[in-house]
Amino acid sequence: QVQLVESGGGLVQAGGSLRLSCAASGRTFNPFAMGWFRQVPGKKREFLAAISWNAAHTDYADSVKGRFTISRDNAQNRVNREMTSLKPEDTAVYYCARGQGRFYLPVGPNEYDYWGQGTQVTVSS
């Protein structure tokens, strides 16, 4: 069984920074890609970033390029997301997920098979 737990969410002022982490049970990061999504109630889950199983490649949504950075530490079964220049519209529930094995850099929610519970990020104006 794979378990993903996000942490690091909270309240931050606009223009500030935040670091989120996703811890996985067991050795679940290899050879799977990992990704971050966010969702606002009533809206579709939005792709943010993905990182390949070997951390050699990353992919970012246009809306967060230059502000969000994804990284991973396979030895500790952890994937991180650094967020800078946060805006009120970044307020959402943020999820980490494990990609299906056949996808190198998946971007669609249906290309991931395990999800964390989500962590709330609120950006104040």
Side-chain angles (χ1 to χ4, degrees):
Q1 182 177 357
V2 176
Q3 292 181 311
L4 304 175
V5 181
E6 302 95 338
S7 63
L11 177 65
V12 63
Q13 294 182 350
S17 301
L18 199 64
R19 179 188 296 121
L20 302 184
S21 295
C22 177
S25 62
R27 301 189 67 183
T28 61
F29 285 3
N30 294 325
F32 302 100
M34 297 293 295
W36 284 97
F37 292 77
R38 67 185 179 190
Q39 188 170 25
V40 176
K43 297 184 178 180
K44 297 175 61 178
R45 190 162 296 186
E46 177 188 10
F47 167 78
L48 298 176
I51 186 168
S52 63
W53 68 272
N54 59 359
H57 296 91
T58 57
D59 190 21
Y60 295 93
D62 290 339
S63 62
V64 300
K65 284 183 177 179
R67 298 193 300 121
F68 289 7
T69 301
I70 187 172
S71 62
R72 68 188 300 163
D73 185 347
N74 288 348
Q76 298 181 5
N77 293 324
R78 181 175 297 273
V79 61
N80 301 313
R81 177 166 54 86
E82 303 287 341
M83 305 184 295
T84 61
S85 301
L86 287 166
K87 308 172 183 179
E89 53 264 41
D90 292 321
T91 296
V93 177
Y94 285 71
Y95 299 87
C96 69
R98 192 191 78 174
Q100 297 181 27
R102 66 182 184 272
F103 297 109
Y104 185 64
L105 279 177
V107 299
N110 59 349
E111 298 171 347
Y112 290 81
D113 53 7
Y114 289 94
W115 296 82
Q117 296 298 312
T119 185
Q120 176 71 45
V121 172
T122 302
V123 183
S124 62
S125 60

